Amino acid sequence: MDVIFLNGGSSSGKSTIARAVQALLPEPWLTFGVDTFVAALPETGGGIEFGPDGEIVVGPEFRRLEEFWMAGLAAMAAAGAHLIVDEVLLSGGAGQDRWRSALAGLDVLWVGVRCDPVVAAAREAARGDRIGGMAADQARRVHAGMAYDLVVDTTATDPDACARHVVAALKSAS
């Protein structure tokens, strides 16, 4: 397997699961998240806008830069780096299609990271580094039209247990 792809809404636990997966695997896996990509965008926004209610709107400039991001990560995986991608596919299945194109020829484990919207919203509020409303808005819509190899739910399952499920699925797929 070349890539573990974690998709879930904001504050669903993807980053924590990614770190726990890294700790469980004997060989090094690099984690790259959408937050890293967004942080790398120019201060002018790079075609992404964050509404006061947590709504996120992306435009053509964002999509162009996102294509470069995806191609770069795919090139790293093709060169032999094992990757964990921590993503929020706002367009659900359409976003998965874009990633499938970028990752063509690579073995990918597609993992849905679900969390009850109320629980995700509470985590979001506790974090203090997110716009209120993002978690509730994204909790279900990021999964629309998606096809997963595995789904974990962090509502009541701790990240370490979710990571063990991911590693078990990774081993059975190899």
Side-chain angles (χ1 to χ4, degrees):
M1 197 65 56
D2 303 306
V3 178
I4 300 169
F5 195 100
L6 304 174
N7 177 54
S10 180
S11 300
S12 64
K14 299 175 307 299
S15 299
T16 306
I17 291 170
R19 292 294 180 201
V21 167
Q22 285 178 308
L24 292 171
L25 293 172
E27 67 276 351
W29 284 69
L30 303 173
T31 299
F32 291 95
V34 67
D35 290 343
T36 304
F37 170 58
V38 171
L41 293 172
E43 287 187 26
T44 57
I48 188 170
E49 295 177 24
F50 298 91
D53 61 349
E55 179 186 17
I56 299 173
V57 178
V58 298
E61 182 66 9
F62 178 89
R63 289 288 180 229
R64 186 177 74 83
L65 296 170
E66 180 187 49
E67 283 182 38
F68 301 149
W69 167 255
M70 292 187 299
L73 292 181
M76 288 177 64
H82 294 293
L83 302 184
I84 303 171
V85 177
D86 166 352
E87 222 347 324
V88 179
L89 294 178
L90 296 173
S91 57
Q96 185 177 34
D97 290 343
R98 287 191 301 276
W99 272 101
R100 281 189 196 278
S101 292
L103 299 172
L106 297 169
D107 290 325
V108 181
L109 179 70
W110 295 94
V111 180
V113 180
R114 295 187 180 273
C115 184
D116 179 87
V118 173
V119 172
R123 291 177 186 169
E124 173 184 71
R127 289 174 71 164
D129 66 347
R130 297 285 189 256
I131 298 169
M134 288 175 70
D137 175 59
Q138 297 170 8
R140 288 192 176 90
R141 81 177 177 126
V142 300
H143 301 293
M146 293 291 297
Y148 294 120
D149 300 307
L150 172 70
V151 175
V152 295
D153 190 326
T154 66
T155 303
T157 305
D158 70 71
D160 289 332
C162 291
R164 287 191 297 275
H165 289 300
V166 172
V167 170
L170 182 71
K171 288 178 180 177
S172 69
S174 297

